[in-house]
Amino acid sequence: QIQLVQSGAEVRKPGASVKVSCKTSGYTFTDYAMHWVRQAPGQRLEWLGWINAGTGNTKFSQKFEGRLSITRDTSANTAYLDLSSLTPEDTAIYYCSRDRNGLDNWGQGTLVTVSS
Amino acid sequence: EIVLTQSPATLSLSPGERATLSCRASQSVSTYLAWYQQKPGQAPRLLIYDASNRATGIPARFSGSGSGTDFTLTISSLEPEDFAVYYCQQYDSSPQTFGQGTKVEIE
């Protein structure tokens, strides 16, 4: 079955960076785009960006331009989110999600806490 | 950026009742709209894509309708497992955006 397994919780200080991984199995990784979505405590879902896992092309929300990077390793069937210059407002659960007629499969989420 | 406004914020209903959830877009998104269900401590689950197509494995009691700026998610007869928060999402233009959610709670 299709699985997206994310890396574990992270704690960072303001100004630091964080990298979250999303390891996939059960489907051909390069056939689908992968999106990253986050959810701050008690808030709505927020879309960060996506990567075409086949070509590596990316698109980001302008809100995160300059401090967000999304990459993939096709040999490991894994996508990565890299967010820099963290502030407490970046504290959230970060999800990866496969794009197939909507976001049809999701990782379990990775809690990133930014605190001094 | 396209703003999605969901109503009502909370819907208090009993099992077996019909639930009607609304999502309004600040500009047309054609039919590029999806609905998700989220339960506490879980990732969202895709219910509907392209406004009216049920995702794989989603029961027939869930249906979606609408186009342009006005969309509806209907749950024909609520089951106990349907009490959750529901979000709409537009993917017509970047950035993709989500509504603020409608909580369906047990009355």
Side-chain angles (χ1 to χ4, degrees):
Chain A
Q1 78 279 22
I2 295 167
Q3 286 193 302
L4 284 66
V5 179
Q6 298 183 221
S7 48
E10 303 273 12
V11 179
R12 293 286 186 273
K13 293 191 182 306
S17 298
V18 70
K19 188 167 188 171
V20 180
S21 67
C22 173
K23 183 167 179 59
T24 72
S25 59
Y27 72 98
T28 303
F29 177 70
T30 51
D31 281 354
Y32 301 94
M34 187 71 74
H35 293 244
W36 289 90
V37 175
R38 75 180 186 181
Q39 188 169 37
Q43 300 299 309
R44 73 176 71 188
L45 298 161
E46 181 176 29
W47 180 80
L48 283 75
W50 64 269
I51 185 167
N52 180 318
T55 64
N57 289 342
T58 55
K59 191 167 184 69
F60 307 127
S61 170
Q62 265 199 312
K63 176 178 177 180
F64 302 98
E65 289 274 7
R67 66 185 192 104
L68 174 64
S69 173
I70 299 176
T71 58
R72 94 287 192 222
D73 179 346
T74 57
S75 67
N77 295 330
T78 300
Y80 302 91
L81 173 139
D82 222 308
L83 189 61
S84 62
S85 303
L86 292 168
T87 73
E89 287 66 46
D90 292 314
T91 293
I93 298 174
Y94 289 74
Y95 295 101
C96 59
S97 180
R98 187 183 80 155
D99 184 345
R100 178 183 180 274
N101 293 330
L103 303 179
D104 73 333
N105 279 274
W106 293 65
Q108 83 278 18
T110 296
L111 176 62
V112 175
T113 303
V114 183
S115 173
S116 54
Chain B
E1 133 175 354
I2 295 176
V3 176
L4 298 181
T5 303
Q6 293 185 240
S7 60
T10 304
L11 203 48
S12 298
L13 295 168
S14 300
E17 289 194 291
R18 182 183 188 89
T20 303
L21 288 66
S22 175
C23 176
R24 178 163 289 177
S26 60
Q27 63 191 75
S28 176
V29 298
S30 184
T31 56
Y32 297 113
L33 188 111
W35 291 92
Y36 299 85
Q37 176 193 70
Q38 188 178 35
K39 296 180 180 179
Q42 296 184 16
R45 173 194 181 199
L46 176 67
L47 301 174
I48 301 288
Y49 66 93
D50 291 349
S52 60
N53 295 295
R54 268 190 307 277
T56 303
I58 301 303
R61 65 181 181 271
F62 291 92
S63 63
S65 64
S67 66
T69 60
D70 288 294
F71 300 87
T72 301
L73 174 71
T74 301
I75 310 170
S76 59
S77 177
L78 283 163
E79 297 288 338
E81 62 268 27
D82 298 337
F83 292 92
V85 178
Y86 293 82
Y87 293 96
C88 57
Q89 176 216 13
Q90 68 80 20
Y91 43 97
D92 178 70
S93 64
S94 185
Q96 298 188 17
T97 50
F98 291 85
Q100 83 280 18
T102 289
K103 182 178 183 180
V104 178
E105 64 176 25
I106 299 176
E107 186 172 39

